[in-house]
Amino acid sequence: MTRPEPDPQPAGPGVAVPEHGAWLRRGISRDGGPLREDGEVVWLQTGPYYADSRGFAGTTSFDGSRVRFHHLTGEPGEDTGTFRWEGANLVERGTNPDGSTFLEVWTPLPGAEGATGSWTGPDHHVVRVGRHVVHVDSSTGTYWRL
């Protein structure tokens, strides 16, 4: 897989996140540093709802150029990114709530076909996409493959 170089100012508008997907992060670059992976990170998206195994979940919105991840459960904040397709991968360039920048490479996970859903309750959010489930509460995010 060709690894894109970090570019905090991509030219042109980005694309909206797919409304249905299970994604495994293949690498992250922080503040222009090298692309690396420091653990398994899974992001699930069903309609406007998402859950990230790092410990945050909520809704996404798209302004025609950038995607905003509104954190409603777990780690507080909101991050903003621009997505581009590179083959089957989604490449995200964005900004964290603290102003730091990132580049992430996301690869589709097999087994995303089938049942989907998003459920919230006091202090938790669960998203299912096919055989993948992410549960987020105020202390952690957890990923399961069914």
Side-chain angles (χ1 to χ4, degrees), residues 70-92:
H70 310 278
H71 301 202
L72 303 177
T73 305
E75 181 182 312
E78 181 175 288
D79 47 283
T80 304
T82 301
F83 284 84
R84 300 222 187 292
W85 288 102
E86 184 174 288
N89 298 325
L90 271 174
V91 177
E92 176 187 9

Side-chain angles (χ1 to χ4, degrees), residues 6-139:
D7 178 6
Q9 299 296 325
V15 298
V17 295
E19 289 200 18
H20 173 98
W23 302 90
L24 175 66
R25 189 174 73 185
R26 290 293 185 195
I28 184 168
S29 166
R30 291 180 172 88
D31 292 320
L35 192 65
R36 58 181 220 164
E37 187 50 65
D38 52 10
E40 181 181 67
V41 175
V42 172
W43 154 44
L44 302 180
Q45 184 82 32
T46 183
Y49 304 101
Y50 78 93
D52 189 302
S53 65
R54 290 172 284 186
F56 50 93
T59 61
T60 56
S61 61
F62 181 63
D63 66 9
S65 179
R66 299 178 67 76
V67 174
R68 290 191 187 280
F69 288 84
H70 310 278
H71 301 202
L72 303 177
T73 305
E75 181 182 312
E78 181 175 288
D79 47 283
T80 304
T82 301
F83 284 84
R84 300 222 187 292
W85 288 102
E86 184 174 288
N89 298 325
L90 271 174
V91 177
E92 176 187 9
R93 290 175 172 87
T95 306
N96 291 307
D98 66 2
S100 62
T101 61
F102 63 90
L103 176 143
E104 293 175 296
V105 178
W106 297 96
T107 299
L109 283 166
E113 307 78 24
T116 65
S118 174
W119 301 269
T120 60
D123 192 39
H124 73 275
H125 193 127
V126 178
V127 172
R128 177 180 179 181
V129 176
R131 298 183 62 191
H132 307 281
V133 176
V134 171
H135 172 274
V136 174
D137 60 34
S138 62
S139 61

